[in-house]
Amino acid sequence: MTLGEPKQGPSGTAAEGISPCAACSVRDMAFCGVLNDEELPRLLAIFTTLSVEAHQPIIDEGEAADYLFNVTGGAVKLYKLLPDGRRQITGFLFAGDFLGIAMNEKYAYSAEALGRVSLCRFPRRKLESLLDEFPKLEKRLLGMASNELVQAHDQILLLGRKTAQEKIVSFLLSLSDRAAKRSSERSPIELPMGRADIADYLGLTTETVSRTITHLKRDGLIRLLQGGRVDLPDPAALRDLADGS
Amino acid sequence: MTLGEPKQGPSGTAAEGISPCAACSVRDMAFCGVLNDEELPRLLAIFTTLSVEAHQPIIDEGEAADYLFNVTGGAVKLYKLLPDGRRQITGFLFAGDFLGIAMNEKYAYSAEALGRVSLCRFPRRKLESLLDEFPKLEKRLLGMASNELVQAHDQILLLGRKTAQEKIVSFLLSLSDRAAKRSSERSPIELPMGRADIADYLGLTTETVSRTITHLKRDGLIRLLQGGRVDLPDPAALRDLADGS
DNA sequence: CGGGATCTTGAGGATGCTCAACGCTAGTGG
DNA sequence: CCACTAGCGTTGAGCATCCTCAAGATCCCG
């Protein structure tokens, strides 16, 4: 089972009556942002909002890709597994990110809620019909896919050729950059994921992640705050560390 | 400079007069395949064919992404560099593959011809206009971008969590699969790239690539033939090795 | 047939992993 | 209110995989 229907939260009721898009804080960042107020109802008609509790699955690799999602709040991890249990996290999603571009009838990876997550869920067939109706929607998705590919190649460079410290620093900076795009503060940054998730994202072990963070802390390059928040006092120095220059 | 104009080969003349698409062996696999004979002239009007000699650059990371390409023959490597010279090859392209989806005004990586390469070159602006005219073209590109994302995530899993042997075996199998799609034989496969390129693609060194190949050879899992060709006598056994099961 | 590049093989070493113990924190229930 | 516990993070010691450095083998092209 892909999505636990019973876990559908109380926000599902918000879809009745008033438009959830009106109050949506990520509408401009998400792909829906290209639709104007007259076109939006066509989109509204096909999606439902829902929320998923922490640690609950959202999609499972290999299942039929019947739904696509927009993350409107919270954080999501995407991952793939090898038969013996080794895990690679392929990405983290935050508010405004789209879930499901990378598919092929079947989902290419699994997704799980990091904390409580709010989502808009679109039936793929219906969304594809809308793409025919609104070419600018399709153009937007193509642009987002292109951006995701650029990021994927950055991650490939990181995994293939960077040291543990460069990986950690690159990771922190990318979180900082993405927070800035969501018009949050650039620093301190939130770390909604645990050390094991960071390790599986960067191709390391939890021990190495922990040690490297301790090292950065001792060098005064980062500061650990309450609630898993991290302060980056000298972003410029970190940028240099991130690619070994 | 992105593309050495003087290197433009004699095939450039083929664009005058008869359609190069009529004789194109990869038309069905490439994105042009969705256009019928009446629509094709609109595409013909905007692109030029050219060939690039071995080891010559095709695009450079960071340059303005003014052109997109279709590979019609030969092989191409895509790569990114770190400031200190470390290199990560992010992919190899063969006949029928599209070059340039992953961009953002600027190219996200560099591309270089492995041997002599034949290309169709499209000015991006003009191609984007055509996308408005032919939505099915845009749909096809979105589908290709989606496929590329799936493959990128496979590569991320490989780089983050696979051993040297699993990486090599996965690589050989993926070449075999892609050759099969181009309706070539599934085995033996061609290796148009050197050991150093394979190493930079898999996040290894040339020595480790060489040793691992030697090891596979001793175990009878592969056979090295003339001209850098490799025979895979037992694909099923290799599939098991590829993901550690 | 010669020479440069590429590939292979070997020995030693370093980065990051494995295995293990300890500390911290938050949630729980008495 | 506090002891208890479970999960997570940190630290340490030893080790394995893969890298580095080096030399020899092979191939390819002139």
Side-chain angles (χ1 to χ4, degrees):
Chain A
M1 197 218 3
T2 281
L3 237 189
E5 298 293 340
K7 287 172 210 102
Q8 195 155 339
S11 57
T13 59
E16 311 157 7
I18 49 168
S19 156
C21 302
C24 180
S25 60
V26 300
R27 185 171 151 199
D28 293 334
M29 298 157 48
F31 76 102
C32 357
V34 297
L35 296 186
N36 61 37
D37 290 344
E38 290 156 20
E39 298 160 334
L40 207 52
R42 303 278 298 127
L43 194 64
L44 265 170
I46 68 165
F47 81 81
T48 52
T49 62
L50 61 138
S51 84
V52 176
E53 296 302 318
H55 312 304
Q56 294 304 310
I58 299 170
I59 61 173
D60 285 321
E61 179 178 0
E63 295 233 322
D66 293 332
Y67 297 99
L68 308 181
F69 303 82
N70 232 359
V71 180
T72 54
V76 173
K77 68 180 173 198
L78 314 177
Y79 63 93
K80 292 170 78 76
L81 294 174
L82 287 171
D84 61 2
R86 280 174 288 174
R87 186 180 67 153
Q88 176 67 36
I89 291 186
T90 58
F92 296 104
L93 301 184
F94 301 98
D97 291 333
F98 190 74
L99 166 56
I101 287 188
M103 52 81 194
N104 215 328
E105 296 299 319
K106 310 274 183 200
Y107 294 118
Y109 42 69
S110 304
E112 186 182 308
L114 276 172
R116 168 177 279 219
V117 172
S118 310
L119 300 165
C120 301
R121 188 179 72 177
F122 303 87
R124 184 158 67 96
R125 301 287 176 209
K126 292 182 182 172
L127 185 60
E128 282 172 354
S129 303
L130 270 194
L131 296 187
D132 296 335
E133 195 172 333
F134 300 117
K136 60 183 172 184
L137 254 189
E138 187 142 52
K139 217 171 202 59
R140 182 90 173 91
L141 279 186
L142 183 54
M144 292 175 80
S146 184
N147 279 334
E148 274 198 39
L149 271 170
V150 172
Q151 295 215 321
H153 286 124
D154 285 340
Q155 190 67 2
I156 283 171
L157 171 63
L158 177 149
L159 290 169
R161 285 295 177 232
K162 289 193 180 181
T163 65
Q165 171 162 296
E166 289 164 355
K167 286 176 175 181
I168 298 281
V169 171
S170 300
F171 172 66
L172 294 174
L173 286 173
S174 80
L175 284 186
S176 175
D177 290 344
R178 292 176 71 178
K181 273 188 192 159
R182 295 195 307 278
S183 71
S184 314
E185 294 296 322
R186 182 172 283 280
S187 170
I189 55 180
E190 308 269 357
L191 286 190
M193 69 293 290
R195 297 289 185 267
D197 286 340
I198 298 174
D200 282 348
Y201 180 59
L202 299 176
L204 301 170
T205 59
T206 61
E207 294 93 331
T208 298
V209 170
S210 188
R211 274 186 258 270
T212 307
I213 287 178
T214 300
H215 197 214
L216 291 170
K217 195 168 53 180
R218 282 190 188 138
D219 293 351
L221 289 160
I222 65 174
R223 268 179 301 190
L224 300 191
L225 311 178
Q226 282 297 8
R229 288 152 55 94
V230 182
D231 186 40
L232 312 180
D234 189 352
L238 291 177
R239 300 262 169 218
D240 285 345
L241 278 183
D243 54 8
S245 62
Chain B
M1 195 213 10
T2 282
L3 236 189
E5 296 294 341
K7 287 171 211 105
Q8 195 155 339
S11 57
T13 58
E16 309 155 10
I18 50 168
S19 157
C21 302
C24 180
S25 60
V26 299
R27 185 169 151 201
D28 293 333
M29 299 158 46
F31 76 102
C32 356
V34 296
L35 295 185
N36 59 38
D37 290 346
E38 289 155 20
E39 299 159 334
L40 208 51
R42 303 277 299 126
L43 194 65
L44 264 169
I46 69 166
F47 80 82
T48 51
T49 62
L50 60 138
S51 83
V52 177
E53 296 302 319
H55 313 303
Q56 294 304 312
I58 299 170
I59 61 174
D60 284 321
E61 178 178 0
E63 295 231 324
D66 292 333
Y67 296 100
L68 307 182
F69 302 83
N70 231 1
V71 180
T72 55
V76 173
K77 67 181 172 197
L78 313 176
Y79 63 93
K80 293 170 76 78
L81 295 173
L82 286 171
D84 62 2
R86 279 174 290 174
R87 186 180 67 152
Q88 177 66 38
I89 291 186
T90 58
F92 295 105
L93 300 184
F94 302 99
D97 290 334
F98 190 74
L99 166 56
I101 287 189
M103 52 80 192
N104 213 329
E105 298 300 320
K106 310 274 182 198
Y107 294 117
Y109 42 70
S110 304
E112 186 181 307
L114 276 173
R116 168 177 277 220
V117 172
S118 310
L119 299 165
C120 301
R121 187 178 74 176
F122 304 87
R124 183 158 68 95
R125 301 287 176 208
K126 292 182 182 173
L127 184 59
E128 282 171 354
S129 303
L130 270 195
L131 296 187
D132 295 335
E133 195 171 335
F134 300 116
K136 60 182 173 185
L137 254 190
E138 185 142 55
K139 217 170 205 56
R140 182 89 174 94
L141 279 186
L142 183 55
M144 293 176 80
S146 185
N147 279 334
E148 275 199 36
L149 271 170
V150 172
Q151 295 215 322
H153 286 126
D154 285 340
Q155 190 67 2
I156 283 171
L157 171 63
L158 177 149
L159 290 169
R161 286 294 178 233
K162 288 193 180 180
T163 65
Q165 172 162 295
E166 289 165 355
K167 286 176 174 181
I168 297 282
V169 171
S170 300
F171 172 66
L172 294 175
L173 285 173
S174 80
L175 283 186
S176 175
D177 290 345
R178 292 176 72 179
K181 273 189 192 156
R182 294 195 306 279
S183 70
S184 313
E185 294 297 321
R186 182 174 283 281
S187 171
I189 56 179
E190 307 269 358
L191 285 190
M193 69 293 289
R195 297 290 185 268
D197 286 339
I198 297 174
D200 282 348
Y201 180 59
L202 299 176
L204 301 170
T205 58
T206 62
E207 294 93 332
T208 298
V209 171
S210 187
R211 272 187 260 271
T212 306
I213 287 178
T214 300
H215 196 214
L216 290 171
K217 195 169 52 180
R218 280 188 190 141
D219 292 352
L221 290 159
I222 65 175
R223 266 179 302 190
L224 300 191
L225 311 178
Q226 282 297 7
R229 288 150 57 92
V230 181
D231 186 39
L232 312 180
D234 188 353
L238 291 176
R239 301 261 170 219
D240 285 344
L241 278 183
D243 53 7
S245 63

